[in-house]
Amino acid sequence: MKNFQWKSLLPHAIAVGIFLVVAVIFCKPVLDGKVLGQGDVIHWKGMAQDMYNYKEKHGHFPLWNNNLFGGMPAYQIALETSNPLSPIYVHSFLMLLKKPIGYFFLLCISFYFLTQVMRIRPWLGILGGIAYAYATYSPVIVAVGHDTKMQAMGYMPALLAGLWLIYRKQYWWGAALTALFSALLIAMNHLQVTYYTLILAGFMTAGFAIEWIKEKSFKQLATSLAIAIAAGAIGATANMVSLATTNDYAKATMRGGSLSLDSSGKVIKQSGLKIDYAFYYGSYGIAETYTFMIPHIYGGSSSEIGQELDANSHTGKLAVEKGISEDQAAQFTSSMGSYAYWGTQPGTAGPVYLGAIICFLFIFGMVYLKTWHKWWILAVSLLAILMSWGSNLAFFNTFLFNYLPLYNKFRAPDIILVVPQLLFPLLGVMALQQLMFEEPNKEEALKKLKKS
């Protein structure tokens, strides 16, 4: 510790301060005493209220809840852990900031940690963290109450950072952090985001494995994979109570399969969800993917944006000019929500906008960077986009739905767009790092910049 340079912590302290300030400003209404009207959270509170009343009277939660469907295990709705090693306690410490300030801060700091593990300049890591946390999908899911999804997204970059350390031969730190962050990711209890993170980690691992095989580093290949798998298993084991009970209950639900009759009256047993149900909501339109760069190319929200229109909006003023009274104009514009979105989905709370600049930097990274990392990043990003199209690319996604393990347990395929939300800014900051600090041939770099 005598030789430790305390000044080296200054950039990281500045990063934490910037992330905190930005999150506070973005979520300022919370500090004014306002509360988000999160539909899903309100519904959850209604479903769980009897359980909390029971706990207040008896000191513990019941094991059954009558308020959902025909009744279901109460531990799927609310349950307190008595495990002193539960990762929830670590998460509770990280979430000391008021909701939803803590959510955005978590995404920023997690992405920043990944960039520092990759040895990217701190200020670039700050820019990348803000780009990841404040892509439009994040505030959209917070607004509707998908808190567990947002929190799971917070641990995606950190888990990749742990694996990156393992693959760079920093085995002890890598194993410890991979175990910790995999435990935290699973503990957020959004298994669909966890599933997509495993796909992302698999592609990254494949990229490293190909390089090790090319270099004939078979010992490093075997050691790294063994440690990564063991660390991930530790993270899963820390959540075994919730994983095991969820798996057991899923068998009695539509996710566990269903029975139906064909035209001849023969009983057909199907594993997992029915594909029509799984792809009905959240099949992102093929051309709608341009929202990555142009947010309102297919309109905005199908339910929220109409509530923001009134007699003073452009539409309202036009109605008044046509002889409609202001009261009628206000009623007319407020009812336009269902017409504010014209994409292929039955409804949406908002577009997935990654940022025009971020998309440009991603393209620039693909053109400019020579690192092999860009290929696994491109591969998993393309796969995520194809999977997000759901029923709009039926032949491809039907195949995955039928044969990709556990994939038929999930619905709303566009959730996988959290993967490009993470990887687009990551490749962007990698490109800026190379261009600004490591490029020996500035003239050649400028040509590629213009080409991009």
Side-chain angles (χ1 to χ4, degrees), residues 270 273-280 391 394 397-399 401-402:
Q270 178 175 327
L273 297 171
K274 292 183 178 179
I275 191 169
D276 292 342
Y277 170 78
F279 287 170
Y280 174 72
S391 59
N397 287 305
T398 298
F399 175 82
F401 191 82
N402 290 332

Side-chain angles (χ1 to χ4, degrees), residues 13-28 31 97 101-102 104-105 108 126 130 134:
I14 292 173
V16 171
I18 290 174
F19 293 148
L20 182 58
V21 169
V22 173
V24 168
I25 293 173
F26 190 76
C27 304
K28 186 180 180 298
L31 302 181
L97 295 171
I101 296 173
F104 291 97
F105 179 81
C108 284
I126 292 171
I130 292 173
Y134 295 92

Side-chain angles (χ1 to χ4, degrees), residues 101 141-142 336 348 369:
I101 296 173
I141 62 176
V142 169
M336 289 185 63
T348 178
L369 289 174

Side-chain angles (χ1 to χ4, degrees), residues 4 115 130 312 363 416 443:
F4 183 77
T115 61
I130 292 173
N312 293 319
I363 294 170
I416 200 173
E443 186 176 341

Side-chain angles (χ1 to χ4, degrees), residues 51 112 143 164 224 310 330 379 418:
M51 298 169 56
Y112 179 78
W164 194 282
S224 298
D310 55 26
V418 299

Side-chain angles (χ1 to χ4, degrees), residues 114-188:
L114 173 59
T115 61
Q116 297 316 287
V117 166
M118 296 172 66
R119 298 177 183 176
I120 292 171
R121 295 294 178 101
W123 72 271
L124 290 176
I126 292 171
L127 294 176
I130 292 173
Y132 172 56
Y134 295 92
T136 61
Y137 190 66
S138 298
V140 162
I141 62 176
V142 169
V144 298
H146 296 179
D147 289 357
T148 58
K149 186 190 300 182
M150 184 70 168
Q151 293 172 89
M153 288 171 61
Y155 292 109
M156 287 175 63
L159 176 56
L160 295 185
L163 291 172
W164 194 282
L165 289 172
I166 293 174
Y167 299 158
R168 291 304 186 190
K169 296 185 178 181
Q170 294 177 269
Y171 295 130
W172 287 107
W173 273 112
L177 292 172
T178 299
L180 172 63
F181 291 126
S182 61
L184 287 166
L185 173 65
I186 298 170
M188 296 306 98

Side-chain angles (χ1 to χ4, degrees), residues 137 149 190 192-193 196 282 411-419:
Y137 190 66
K149 186 190 300 182
H190 199 289
Q192 191 165 356
V193 171
Y196 294 147
R411 60 187 288 266
D414 66 341
I415 294 176
I416 200 173
L417 292 178
V418 299
V419 171

